[in-house]
Amino acid sequence: MTNRYRPNEADCPVPLTLLSLLLRINEEQAAHHLQQLPEQQRVDLAFFCFARAHMRPLALRIAALCSDEALTRSTGLLGEILLEQSKKGPTKSRTLEGPYKRTVTLARCA
């Protein structure tokens, strides 16, 4: 049987139940769970999450728990970028305020 129906998606380096738990719990609890993982698995999980925009804050928290050598050894330049961003801390998301905020309009005729 071929894998032609398998999505072109990287496999998650941890069980999906752990990943969903990490997305829901606070930072202290997540750090406790992440410390239980081997460092290479944490690095792989950080890169897995970093590749998905909605999981980037989690990726930065995971990368902060990894050693500098492990991050840069795994993927080189991308590891350095992830390391640099994880040391900066969380970034604020952009919000539209003031005159730039667009309102929802509905069509008057169909």
Side-chain angles (χ1 to χ4, degrees):
M1 182 162 191
T2 63
N3 286 337
R4 68 181 189 150
Y5 295 111
R6 184 180 170 125
N8 190 12
E9 182 75 20
D11 291 329
C12 184
V14 297
L16 293 179
T17 54
L18 177 59
L19 180 62
S20 65
L21 178 70
L22 292 172
L23 288 168
R24 289 181 279 136
I25 59 179
N26 63 32
E27 289 186 34
E28 293 82 22
Q29 293 172 332
H32 172 72
H33 287 286
L34 290 166
Q35 292 294 342
Q36 306 297 322
L37 298 174
E39 185 170 39
Q40 187 58 46
Q41 195 172 18
R42 282 195 308 262
V43 169
D44 293 342
L45 182 60
F47 287 117
F48 178 82
C49 294
F50 191 72
R52 289 146 184 85
H54 65 284
M55 288 195 241
R56 284 208 176 143
L58 177 61
L60 297 177
R61 288 196 311 258
I62 296 169
L65 297 173
C66 298
S67 69
D68 301 354
E69 297 84 26
L71 284 170
T72 55
R73 181 182 58 231
S74 291
T75 58
L77 182 60
L78 184 59
E80 291 177 17
I81 292 169
L82 185 57
L83 178 65
E84 182 181 324
Q85 288 185 8
S86 69
K87 292 190 186 266
K88 285 183 183 178
T91 58
K92 295 180 181 178
S93 61
R94 293 183 359 186
T95 57
L96 297 176
E97 297 177 4
Y100 299 107
K101 185 175 180 179
R102 298 183 74 179
T103 59
V104 175
T105 59
L106 302 175
R108 296 186 187 257
C109 60

